[in-house]
Amino acid sequence: MGIVKIAEDLHEQARRASVPMCRSINAQAEYWMKIGMLAEANPTLSFNDIVRQQYAAAHVELAQRAAA
């Protein structure tokens, strides 16, 4: 495990984002890094596509929305 230096304003944004997502600040930053890496590696995928792929890889079944 290493230490990563980030700007104060980014740290503050991670702190704020961690609250509604029920994550620690470190877990929030780690989540953003993982999503960012996946987005760079798969530039044609949307955020939602990336999240769906991650759920599928973890064998999580998502409830389907009812058609409007």
Side-chain angles (χ1 to χ4, degrees):
M1 178 181 350
I3 296 175
V4 177
K5 182 171 174 30
I6 62 171
E8 281 296 319
D9 59 332
L10 186 55
H11 184 272
E12 179 61 19
Q13 291 299 316
R15 184 189 67 74
R16 289 180 186 183
S18 71
V19 174
M21 301 308 291
C22 300
R23 297 181 180 123
S24 68
I25 297 170
N26 286 349
Q28 183 64 40
E30 196 172 314
Y31 175 75
W32 282 347
M33 286 190 285
K34 181 176 182 176
I35 294 296
M37 284 176 47
L38 291 168
E40 284 186 346
N42 301 280
T44 61
L45 296 180
S46 70
F47 169 78
N48 288 336
D49 292 335
I50 290 169
V51 171
R52 264 195 289 297
Q53 283 187 351
Q54 293 301 295
Y55 278 135
H59 307 289
V60 174
E61 293 183 27
L62 299 175
Q64 298 297 316
R65 279 186 12 177

